[in-house]
């Protein structure tokens, strides 16, 4: 199964993705994690990527698609993958569809996790104290939420038109959210 997980920063995607990849036995492809790994290297590319991430902006579409494509070529992805934080723009969604179509593959489902804005800000500020992520400060959080609303939220319509969208309420306990997600997965298996 190949599925895309859409949700604003702080929605709880990380927690749910961990459970979901165990359930489905597929690899978890988080572009946030991949880009943070690139950022750690001391190269011109890493400094360039850092300039986007640290400002709360999106890395360029073609760079992200190249990193994802590289992962998709590995053996572990033959039976599917969970895309977390990707695609984040309509262009990325089209690039992914084209890439998969070239291989005779397709996405099965897009899952949207919904959480109210105020709650997101509170959760992210709390995470900032625990994890110390450079991009978890108030200004960058606001920027990332803005980027989500303008660039990523339109994806839900894109996938709804393909009949692939499922929406889950993220303002519930993590266990209940996961129950709802499992029900969605069953509908698209
Ligand atoms: P969050 O969703 O909590 O903001 P992520 O770990 O998914 O965190 O992403 C962190 C940052 O990495 C984003 O703010 C962005 O700069 C960059 N990033 C992650 N995924 C993408 C993507 N698909 N396209 C462009 N930039 C991305």
């Amino acid at each position: 199964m190949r599925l895309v997980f859409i949700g604003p920063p702080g929605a709880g995607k990380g927690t749910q993705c961990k459970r979901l990849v165990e359930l489905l036995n597929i690899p978890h492809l988080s572009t946030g994690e991949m880009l943070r790994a690139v950022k750690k290297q001391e190269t011109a590319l890493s400094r360039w990527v850092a300039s986007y991430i640290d400002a709360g902006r999106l890395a360029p579409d073609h760079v992200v698609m190249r990193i994802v494509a590289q992962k998709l070529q590995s053996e572990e992805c033959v039976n599917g993958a969970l895309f977390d934080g990707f695609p984040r723009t309509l262009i990325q969604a089209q690039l992914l569809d084209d890439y998969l179509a070239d291989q005779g593959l397709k996405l099965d489902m897009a899952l949207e996790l919904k959480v109210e804005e105020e709650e997101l800000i509170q959760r992210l500020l709390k995470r900032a104290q625990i994890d110390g992520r450079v991009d978890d400060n108030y200004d960058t959080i606001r920027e990332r939420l803005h980027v989500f609303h303008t660039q990523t939220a339109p994806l839900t319509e894109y996938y709804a038109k393909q009949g692939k969208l499922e929406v889950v309420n993220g303002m519930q306990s993590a266990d209940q959210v996961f129950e709802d997600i499992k029900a969605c997965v069953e509908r698209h298996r």
Side-chain angles (χ1 to χ4, degrees), residues 2-183:
R2 279 173 201 84
L3 53 126
V4 159
F5 208 151
I6 303 170
K13 282 194 312 261
T15 310
Q16 300 301 330
C17 281
K18 253 188 232 151
R19 298 183 182 195
L20 201 47
V21 293
E22 254 176 52
L23 178 80
L24 298 173
N25 198 20
I26 50 176
H28 176 198
L29 304 188
S30 156
T31 46
E33 269 169 32
M34 291 177 206
L35 288 167
R36 279 191 289 280
V38 169
K39 212 184 99 172
K40 278 199 195 129
Q41 302 156 2
E42 276 295 317
T43 62
L45 174 68
S46 70
R47 281 185 285 277
W48 190 52
V49 163
S51 72
Y52 289 93
I53 297 181
D54 294 348
R57 292 165 52 215
L58 294 181
D61 292 328
H62 61 279
V63 173
V64 182
M65 184 63 226
R66 207 166 46 200
I67 295 172
V68 171
Q70 227 167 25
K71 289 268 176 191
L72 285 177
Q73 277 157 19
S74 73
E75 184 64 29
E76 59 164 358
C77 292
V78 289
N79 291 325
L82 172 61
F83 298 96
D84 169 10
F86 175 85
R88 251 187 169 82
T89 64
L90 279 172
I91 302 228
Q92 290 180 14
Q94 276 152 1
L95 287 171
L96 177 62
D97 276 349
D98 290 349
Y99 179 88
L100 292 175
D102 269 353
Q103 329 251 331
L105 304 171
K106 62 173 179 54
L107 280 178
D108 299 294
M109 177 173 103
L111 200 62
E112 182 193 8
L113 193 56
K114 274 205 157 158
V115 173
E116 280 166 18
E117 184 101 358
E118 260 320 296
E119 170 77 15
L120 293 173
I121 295 175
Q122 292 315 317
R123 289 186 189 181
L124 289 165
L125 288 173
K126 203 163 135 198
R127 184 170 83 184
Q129 291 173 340
I130 299 165
D131 294 355
R133 244 173 70 175
V134 186
D135 60 345
D136 276 345
N137 62 72
Y138 191 75
D139 288 344
T140 313
I141 287 170
R142 286 232 83 102
E143 176 62 19
R144 277 152 59 212
L145 288 171
H146 171 73
V147 166
F148 178 80
H149 290 304
T150 52
Q151 312 225 52
T152 309
L155 287 184
T156 56
E157 202 180 314
Y158 176 86
Y159 289 119
K161 279 190 186 144
Q162 296 185 354
K164 292 179 182 165
L165 184 70
E166 292 284 351
V167 183
V168 169
N169 173 14
M171 309 259 297
Q172 318 178 78
S173 71
D175 286 346
Q176 188 55 52
V177 171
F178 192 55
E179 287 305 313
D180 291 0
I181 289 176
K182 280 195 286 194

